[in-house]
Amino acid sequence: MKFKIKHVSTIDSTNRELMRYHDMYENYSILSADHQTSGKGRLNRIWEDNGSGNLMFSILLKNVISIESINKLNYVVCASIISLLDKYGINSKFKWPNDVLVNNKKISGVLIETRLTASDSIVVIGQGINVNSTSDNIDDYIYISDVLGRNISKEKVLYEFVNNFKKYFHNDLGFQICKKEHCYHNKIIEINNTKYTVGNINMDGSIILIDSNSQESKYFGSELSLSKREILKDE
Ligand code: BTN
């Protein structure tokens, strides 16, 4: 697995670029940008450009993974971030399906996009990591520099990320790390006036919710998104 990193100053979106020109980029290309004019988030949200303190990059994987393993990629990516933060002495949590939180605030987000045909699988893994803070008073987001009290090199963070990604790609260590750090496990949540206990996460990328009759239901990230607002109290 040999990654080739290309850096640009400004682009519409590193995800869009790799998906659009996947033929022209080598397999295992990583494209990073200081600024995005049209950054994409999950669930059709916009990923705002908060200045150059955000590490934004995408990884292109061509015919590397099967459809069945795509959901596992979330774990590989989030565990790579959890481990790199750990190296800086920062304790973080996995928020299913693909966020990493520090002090209950979002420090990174992942957007995995796929184009699958009978003969090809094009996967673009987009990653935004809040590294150096450029603004104060952010309620929902946190930057690595907020915790450390100093700015750090974005290149070094990317380097650590890539090393961890390689380490977790071919095994289930990433899943084990996310399972251990799964922050809403056993919390009570309320969705559409119904209360559930949050159960385990699964290797296939899903999560289990348990209702008051102990009935278990399985959800994928495309069907459900958990936020602080749905958490009621500890069990
Ligand atoms: C989310 O939490 O909603 C996912 C955000 C993913 C943002 C990254 S930034 C680099 C890459 N390019 C994009 O347009 N989006 C991803």
Side-chain angles (χ1 to χ4, degrees):
M1 221 179 203
K2 203 160 167 29
F3 290 100
K4 197 170 173 188
I5 301 177
K6 179 182 171 186
H7 182 76
V8 294
S9 167
T10 304
I11 201 156
D12 55 348
S13 145
T14 54
N15 263 42
R16 285 181 215 275
E17 170 75 9
L18 290 186
M19 201 43 111
R20 194 165 45 205
Y21 298 123
H22 61 82
D23 274 348
M24 284 154 61
Y25 282 90
E26 279 177 43
N27 205 0
Y28 301 110
S29 286
I30 296 182
L31 178 65
S32 75
D34 282 331
H35 296 284
Q36 295 188 130
T37 52
S38 184
K40 293 170 82 175
R42 278 184 68 235
L43 309 169
N44 290 325
R45 294 185 192 125
I46 293 168
W47 183 259
E48 280 186 34
D49 184 332
N50 290 326
S52 55
N54 213 208
L55 172 62
M56 297 177 285
F57 63 94
S58 301
I59 304 173
L60 175 65
L61 300 179
K62 299 198 268 191
N63 301 319
V64 177
I65 32 186
S66 59
I67 306 178
E68 304 84 57
S69 6
I70 282 170
N71 283 334
K72 279 190 258 172
L73 273 180
N74 280 332
Y75 299 135
V76 176
V77 173
C78 290
S80 299
I81 293 167
I82 290 171
S83 296
L84 86 80
L85 291 171
D86 191 52
K87 211 154 179 190
Y88 286 99
I90 301 173
N91 188 264
S92 60
K93 293 280 168 203
F94 171 66
K95 180 169 117 26
W96 181 90
N98 51 13
D99 286 340
V100 176
L101 306 183
V102 170
N103 298 341
N104 222 10
K105 295 178 179 183
K106 184 160 166 163
I107 202 155
S108 82
V110 188
L111 173 66
I112 298 177
E113 298 187 282
T114 53
R115 188 173 298 168
L116 304 169
T117 64
S119 54
D120 280 326
S121 109
I122 308 297
V123 175
V124 173
I125 305 167
Q127 181 63 63
I129 307 177
N130 300 332
V131 181
N132 295 320
S133 176
T134 50
S135 53
D136 299 325
N137 297 324
I138 298 170
D139 289 335
D140 293 330
Y141 292 87
I142 192 166
Y143 285 74
I144 294 178
S145 64
D146 291 330
V147 188
L148 296 182
R150 62 183 165 92
N151 283 358
I152 56 167
S153 151
K154 287 198 294 179
E155 288 70 32
K156 228 169 150 186
V157 173
L158 178 56
Y159 175 81
E160 292 291 345
F161 176 90
V162 171
N163 274 346
N164 292 339
F165 187 90
K166 284 183 193 165
K167 228 166 36 196
Y168 300 146
F169 190 79
H170 292 291
N171 51 53
D172 70 352
L173 270 175
F175 170 65
Q176 298 304 343
I177 291 171
C178 290
K179 196 169 173 188
K180 179 169 166 280
E181 302 300 345
H182 170 29
C183 68
Y184 292 161
H185 191 217
N186 284 338
K187 303 268 177 194
I188 310 288
I189 60 167
E190 189 172 276
I191 301 170
N192 298 333
N193 297 320
T194 307
K195 286 184 182 149
Y196 300 91
T197 303
V198 179
N200 272 321
I201 55 170
N202 297 314
M203 268 290 263
D204 64 6
S206 64
I207 194 167
I208 300 293
L209 297 187
I210 306 151
D211 70 14
S212 52
N213 299 316
S214 304
Q215 189 71 41
E216 297 191 356
S217 328
K218 183 171 164 172
Y219 293 91
F220 286 91
S222 52
E223 302 165 318
L224 180 70
S225 175
L226 301 178
S227 75
K228 281 186 228 173
R229 283 162 280 280
E230 279 118 21
I231 305 296
L232 294 180
K233 63 174 174 58
D234 288 350
E235 199 180 39

